[in-house]
Amino acid sequence: MNTKPVINIVWFKRDLRLLDHEPLFKTISNGLPTLLLFCFEPSLINDPHYSQRHWNFIKESLVNINTELADFNTQVLTVTDEIIPTLSKLQQFWSIKNIFSHKETGIRLTFERDKLVKRFCKNNLINWDESITNGIERGLKNRSNWSDKWTEFMLQPKFDFDLQENYFLNTKKFNEVSTYFKITDLNTPKNTPFQKGGTDTGIKYLHSFFKDGRYKNYNSHISKPLLGRKSCSRLSPYIAWGCLSVRQVWQHAKGFRINATHKKCIDGFTSRLRWQAHFIQKFEMEDRMEFESINRGYHKLKKNISEEYHNAWTTGNTGVPLVDACMRCVNTTGYLNFRMRALVVSFYTHNLWQPWQWASQHLSRQFLDFEPGIHFPQLQMQAGETGINQLRIYNPTKNSKEHDPKGVFIKKWIPELKNVPEAYIHEPHTMPPLEQQFCDFKVGEDYPLPIVKIENTRKTASDTMWAFKDDPLVQKEAWRILKTHTLTDRNNFD
């Protein structure tokens, strides 16, 4: 009787790298031949949180991995199908002993999928071994000493190993079985405005940030929409999709700091790595944040949806220059610095008085570095619906004058304003008619009038949101949130 060969599988998800990869380390230590697998799952491809820019970044990252694997006569099996049908089909050729993967803090859809995979593995006598991702722990009830544990995880040695050809199923075997699968074409458009995927590109950004000295302006330029594009690390998509591990980046930064100048800038950067992990851990513990405010007291807050406001905001045509420039920038390039992300959400939820849930999917599709554990908690924090954070209603005009005083960023992304003098670039609707004539520019035709009055809408939002602070349920929930996520941890990240 012929018996099927026994293999392990490493299932890649948001961990698109070979370096510091615990599931790879485990399968190599196990000794069985290994199949490397990535599934382009139709359920995720069709989910409104994702867009083609994400799948192209993933494809570029997989091409990078396959390039590294070519010397070992293997590659990642890239299939367009759901994971369970893929595993079922693989069982026709092999007996799957172990599946190694990282735990994923993703949208609810991925969590429900993982529960089905767990049942599938149990029914098919497959051992599914999941490793912790970047120090995020599943199943926590509180954050007791979480910060210390995260730091301990960051200090642990990276998983280092030498690849060898006999570890993996060879390319010949791939070719024999590939006809039974819908193999994903990994070709992507070439000259795009997006950062390219892959560990190699991520490492180039890492080295240019530190070795080439971009980090020196990190603290002073982090809030500036134009200068921040160079002075921020730009590592976020490589961390979000796992081309680099947080531990790899954190240890590199700490090692570089020893002999570096501008140590405070490095400290600012590494503190934000921990701050990022804090929010992902919060989302891991309460993933209902994808759909509703973490503070149940704000479920009573009602906002009427305006498609006119929503469309003006998403396309960058609100008549508020900094907001519009930011939206056009992120729509085109997939990147926006943190302060500007907060500003556009603040404008949407406070000045336009729209529910954060309606902003969620558009922004997630635009952000190349879409990370669910950051995305949903940050939306709620900027919308003022946590009950524990300071209410922040950003004034776009004030921020424009402070962070883009000459309107360079604004004019880059709103060419309609190229002839508007610096004195009016932040509020072009205030230009006198004669000045408009001199500049060959007409407010309301060449560029829209503001769709809301900022000061009026700011006051209405502020009064309403501050009143909610006194609601008994908001206060009760605020205490619960603090107790669960903050007070039991040594460091308060909020």
Side-chain angles (χ1 to χ4, degrees):
M1 183 178 73
N2 291 328
T3 58
K4 290 181 286 189
V6 181
I7 65 167
N8 291 335
I9 288 177
V10 170
W11 175 21
F12 288 100
K13 291 181 281 185
R14 296 179 71 109
D15 53 349
L16 302 174
R17 63 181 184 273
L18 300 178
L19 302 172
D20 195 25
H21 198 288
E22 187 173 4
L24 268 175
F25 176 82
K26 287 181 175 179
T27 194
I28 289 172
S29 301
N30 181 270
L32 287 175
T34 296
L35 169 71
L36 306 176
L37 174 66
F38 185 92
C39 287
F40 288 86
E41 301 159 276
S43 57
L44 284 177
I45 292 173
N46 296 325
D47 187 274
H49 291 95
Y50 296 95
S51 65
Q52 190 59 46
R53 64 186 61 181
H54 297 134
W55 307 118
N56 287 340
F57 189 91
I58 290 169
K59 288 178 180 181
E60 291 160 356
S61 301
L62 289 166
V63 168
N64 189 182
I65 290 175
N66 283 339
T67 300
E68 293 187 57
L69 292 173
D71 290 340
F72 309 102
N73 195 29
T74 193
Q75 64 189 83
V76 180
L77 180 64
T78 54
V79 176
T80 300
D81 201 353
E82 304 295 341
I83 181 63
I84 290 179
T86 300
L87 293 173
S88 296
K89 197 172 292 185
L90 288 170
Q91 286 184 308
Q92 299 175 24
F93 307 98
W94 296 289
S95 174
I96 303 171
K97 179 69 173 178
N98 301 289
I99 297 175
F100 296 101
S101 72
H102 278 109
K103 295 177 182 177
E104 179 181 2
T105 302
I107 60 175
R108 179 71 61 83
L109 181 64
T110 62
F111 183 60
E112 295 300 325
R113 172 206 64 195
D114 285 354
K115 290 194 290 187
L116 294 176
V117 171
K118 184 176 182 180
R119 185 184 307 166
F120 173 87
C121 289
K122 182 177 181 181
N123 292 340
N124 288 271
L125 302 178
I126 299 171
N127 175 53
W128 184 19
D129 186 301
E130 294 184 278
S131 299
I132 290 176
T133 300
N134 295 329
I136 307 302
E137 298 186 50
R138 183 167 290 175
L140 288 185
K141 300 300 181 184
N142 61 63
R143 300 286 286 276
S144 179
N145 296 320
W146 176 85
S147 177
D148 291 337
K149 293 176 183 176
W150 183 85
T151 301
E152 182 181 348
F153 184 89
M154 290 298 114
L155 288 169
Q156 291 175 6
K158 299 187 296 291
F159 287 97
D160 194 12
F161 41 84
D162 293 324
L163 298 179
Q164 296 181 24
E165 184 172 336
N166 63 340
Y167 291 157
F168 306 105
L169 297 178
N170 60 44
T171 301
K172 180 181 178 181
K173 194 62 180 179
F174 270 86
N175 294 335
E176 291 175 2
V177 303
S178 62
T179 56
Y180 296 91
F181 296 90
K182 185 179 179 181
I183 302 299
T184 307
D185 182 359
L186 297 183
N187 287 313
T188 56
K190 298 304 177 188
N191 299 316
T192 73
F194 306 113
Q195 290 177 262
K196 297 296 183 183
T199 297
D200 286 350
T201 308
I203 289 175
K204 288 179 181 177
Y205 274 94
L206 181 68
H207 288 166
S208 74
F209 183 57
F210 290 107
K211 186 177 179 181
D212 295 349
R214 289 194 294 113
Y215 79 95
K216 294 177 182 179
N217 292 316
Y218 182 77
N219 288 345
S220 57
H221 291 173
I222 191 171
S223 295
K224 301 187 182 304
L226 188 63
L227 297 176
R229 298 183 72 83
K230 290 186 177 180
S231 299
C232 290
S233 74
R234 304 300 300 273
L235 293 172
S236 56
Y238 304 99
I239 291 174
W241 297 105
C243 302
L244 303 174
S245 73
V246 173
R247 176 163 52 200
Q248 177 185 0
V249 174
W250 188 88
Q251 290 186 7
H252 183 91
K254 290 292 188 180
F256 184 86
R257 184 188 186 279
I258 296 172
N259 297 313
T261 60
H262 300 77
K263 294 186 190 312
K264 287 185 178 180
C265 292
I266 298 176
D267 293 341
F269 172 73
T270 54
S271 72
R272 282 174 174 81
L273 290 177
R274 181 156 52 179
W275 176 74
Q276 179 220 39
H278 161 73
F279 281 101
I280 297 176
Q281 184 65 65
K282 181 183 286 189
F283 182 67
E284 174 64 42
M285 294 167 69
E286 296 197 61
D287 70 342
R288 62 184 176 83
M289 281 191 278
E290 179 181 340
F291 309 100
E292 63 185 31
S293 298
I294 184 175
N295 188 311
R296 295 178 177 88
Y298 289 95
H299 296 181
K300 295 179 289 186
L301 179 63
K302 304 300 180 185
K303 296 182 176 181
N304 294 323
I305 294 171
S306 168
E307 290 194 12
E308 177 189 356
Y309 284 178
H310 181 78
N311 291 336
W313 178 77
T314 58
T315 58
N317 286 289
T318 68
V320 181
L322 184 58
V323 172
D324 292 342
C326 286
M327 294 305 294
R328 296 186 193 189
C329 174
V330 74
N331 290 348
T332 302
T333 69
Y335 176 78
L336 200 60
N337 68 334
F338 173 77
R339 188 178 186 86
M340 295 302 109
R341 296 188 192 203
L343 182 140
V344 298
V345 172
S346 172
F347 183 81
Y348 186 86
T349 57
H350 295 129
N351 296 104
L352 300 185
W353 201 240
Q354 298 297 290
W356 62 262
Q357 290 90 335
W358 254 50
S360 174
Q361 292 177 359
H362 176 77
L363 288 178
S364 69
R365 288 194 297 271
Q366 308 314 313
F367 292 151
L368 186 62
D369 58 5
F370 169 51
E371 168 62 72
I374 299 295
H375 186 71
F376 298 108
Q378 280 296 314
L379 278 174
Q380 294 188 28
M381 191 172 83
Q382 303 307 333
E385 296 187 28
T386 66
I388 63 172
N389 300 103
Q390 180 183 353
L391 180 63
R392 297 180 178 93
I393 303 181
Y394 289 80
N395 184 322
T397 304
K398 180 175 180 290
N399 274 268
S400 184
K401 292 176 179 178
E402 288 181 356
H403 300 297
D404 187 32
K406 296 184 180 299
V408 178
F409 178 77
I410 289 172
K411 290 185 177 183
K412 175 179 175 63
W413 293 104
I414 311 178
E416 307 96 291
L417 301 179
K418 64 181 179 180
N419 294 327
V420 174
E422 185 179 314
Y424 300 106
I425 191 63
H426 309 290
E427 297 177 287
H429 66 279
T430 64
M431 286 181 69
L434 186 59
E435 190 79 29
Q436 294 182 44
Q437 187 176 349
F438 287 154
C439 296
D440 191 24
F441 172 80
K442 193 167 184 179
V443 178
E445 291 185 11
D446 296 313
Y447 181 70
L449 291 163
I451 58 176
V452 294
K453 293 183 178 180
I454 293 174
E455 289 305 319
N456 293 350
T457 54
R458 184 189 188 284
K459 185 178 187 310
T460 300
S462 180
D463 291 346
T464 303
M465 299 307 293
W466 277 111
F468 260 85
K469 287 274 191 178
D470 296 327
D471 182 89
L473 182 55
V474 168
Q475 293 182 348
K476 180 180 178 182
E477 278 288 289
W479 174 248
R480 179 193 66 78
I481 294 166
L482 285 169
K483 186 177 180 181
T484 303
H485 297 289
T486 305
L487 294 180
T488 52
D489 194 3
R490 177 173 294 180
N491 292 304
N492 183 341
F493 293 89
D494 290 324

